Amino acid sequence: MQQSILITRPKDQAQRIVQYLEDNGFAVFVEPTFSVQKNDLSESGLFEKLSSRKIAALILTSGNAAEVAFEAAKNLHFDKDMKIFAVGKKTAEIFSANGFSNIKVSERNSAEDLKNLILADDDLANKNAGILLYFCGEFLTIDFKNELEYEGLEVEKIISYKISEEKNFSQNFLQHTKKSNFDFVLLYSKNSARHFCELVKKHNLLEYFKSSKILCLSEKILSSLRNQGFENSSTFEAIPILKKFYD
């Protein structure tokens, strides 16, 4: 029997994973719980500010942040050997696909692992290494600026995008859910997991997700889900082909 998967990302960001899962025999339903608006850094004066600064590395905390960082890298004419720290391979994909080779990725797709990776870098221990450009959204799991500056590094935090949360599930989704349960639900961040749980409770849908396995990107998201009563949850490793896609 064909298994079904719910993806809660915006549709334009979910296209590749949807195609991949459908090609591997899953029935996929996309219900965005938020929308993303990327910031135009060219109007902020940031490029002028950074043009005379020595840049040690880029920090990428999400795919949305990476897209904005890539535009900044083109504007500032960064060399392809610019050091890049990314929370996951998929996050840094836009850079690797365009010839950037000096990319370091956290092993477990977690912000904590990424912080430790940065602190373990010998080049950054040099106080003259330059500043770290930290591309992120408004909602943070870890504020790398605070954490790394506490350790003596210089960090420029760049808010790269804004998230607008949907106030309700769509009628199409509500009708579908009450007729057919999902085998799996994919959640990609702590905030998206929180908001998904809020919408489920708001629409009185908890009973429809009792048999669903909630899958999330990291152990930290997993912990927050279980705290909200979703005990039947795991990381993406629960589905080998999903782990393969994000590895």
Side-chain angles (χ1 to χ4, degrees):
M1 182 177 178
Q2 188 178 40
Q3 292 182 304
S4 61
I5 293 185
L6 169 64
I7 296 177
T8 58
R9 307 193 84 178
K11 291 183 178 180
D12 61 330
Q13 295 183 7
Q15 289 177 351
R16 289 182 61 196
I17 184 61
V18 168
Q19 187 63 57
Y20 176 79
L21 290 171
E22 288 180 343
D23 289 346
N24 281 277
F26 289 88
V28 185
F29 192 104
V30 180
E31 174 67 8
T33 57
F34 63 91
S35 59
V36 177
Q37 179 182 351
K38 297 181 180 70
N39 293 337
D40 184 357
L41 300 183
S42 65
E43 299 178 352
S44 66
L46 179 69
F47 296 148
E48 291 79 4
K49 176 183 175 181
L50 295 175
S51 60
S52 61
R53 302 296 303 276
K54 183 179 180 181
I55 312 300
L58 312 183
I59 302 173
L60 312 177
T61 56
S62 71
N64 290 314
E67 289 182 17
V68 175
F70 183 67
E71 291 304 314
K74 289 194 296 183
N75 192 291
L76 292 166
H77 307 293
F78 289 153
D79 292 334
K80 294 296 176 71
D81 63 351
M82 167 66 70
K83 186 171 290 186
I84 297 169
F85 294 94
V87 75
K89 288 182 181 179
K90 288 296 177 185
T91 298
E93 196 169 48
I94 189 171
F95 280 89
S96 58
N98 283 277
F100 285 80
S101 57
N102 194 7
I103 300 173
K104 297 189 174 185
V105 179
S106 65
E107 290 185 4
R108 294 183 294 178
N109 291 303
S110 80
E112 191 66 35
D113 279 0
L114 182 59
K115 183 187 79 171
N116 293 334
L117 185 66
I118 295 168
L119 292 175
D121 189 275
D122 292 335
D123 292 337
L124 299 183
N126 179 354
K127 300 304 179 184
N128 295 318
I131 64 172
L132 297 167
L133 301 187
Y134 164 35
F135 293 85
C136 60
E138 295 177 295
F139 302 109
L140 307 174
T141 302
I142 290 179
D143 190 329
F144 282 90
K145 180 174 176 64
N146 292 341
E147 296 281 337
L148 297 178
E149 287 191 340
Y150 179 80
E151 300 290 342
L153 301 177
E154 186 178 359
V155 180
E156 178 78 27
K157 180 162 72 172
I158 302 167
I159 303 298
S160 306
Y161 60 94
K162 297 178 181 178
I163 295 289
S164 297
E165 295 179 341
E166 299 293 341
K167 295 181 179 178
N168 296 287
F169 284 133
S170 68
Q171 286 301 311
N172 185 35
F173 173 77
L174 292 174
Q175 292 170 9
H176 180 94
T177 302
K178 292 174 181 179
K179 291 179 181 178
S180 179
N181 293 340
F182 295 101
D183 294 296
F184 303 99
V185 179
L186 306 190
L187 300 173
Y188 291 83
S189 72
K190 191 173 181 179
N191 282 298
S192 64
R194 169 194 54 76
H195 188 53
F196 173 76
C197 294
E198 289 173 349
L199 289 178
V200 166
K201 293 172 183 176
K202 178 179 180 179
H203 289 284
N204 298 312
L205 295 177
L206 279 172
E207 63 180 294
Y208 297 98
F209 286 94
K210 285 182 179 178
S211 62
S212 302
K213 195 170 190 66
I214 313 297
L215 303 178
C216 48
L217 195 58
S218 70
E219 291 290 339
K220 195 156 191 175
I221 305 169
L222 183 61
S223 176
S224 69
L225 275 171
R226 288 175 175 165
N227 288 338
Q228 296 194 57
F230 288 84
E231 295 296 331
N232 189 21
S233 52
S234 180
T235 62
F236 285 0
E237 293 184 358
I239 303 182
I241 62 166
L242 188 62
K243 181 179 184 297
K244 181 180 179 181
F245 181 83
Y246 285 104
D247 281 348

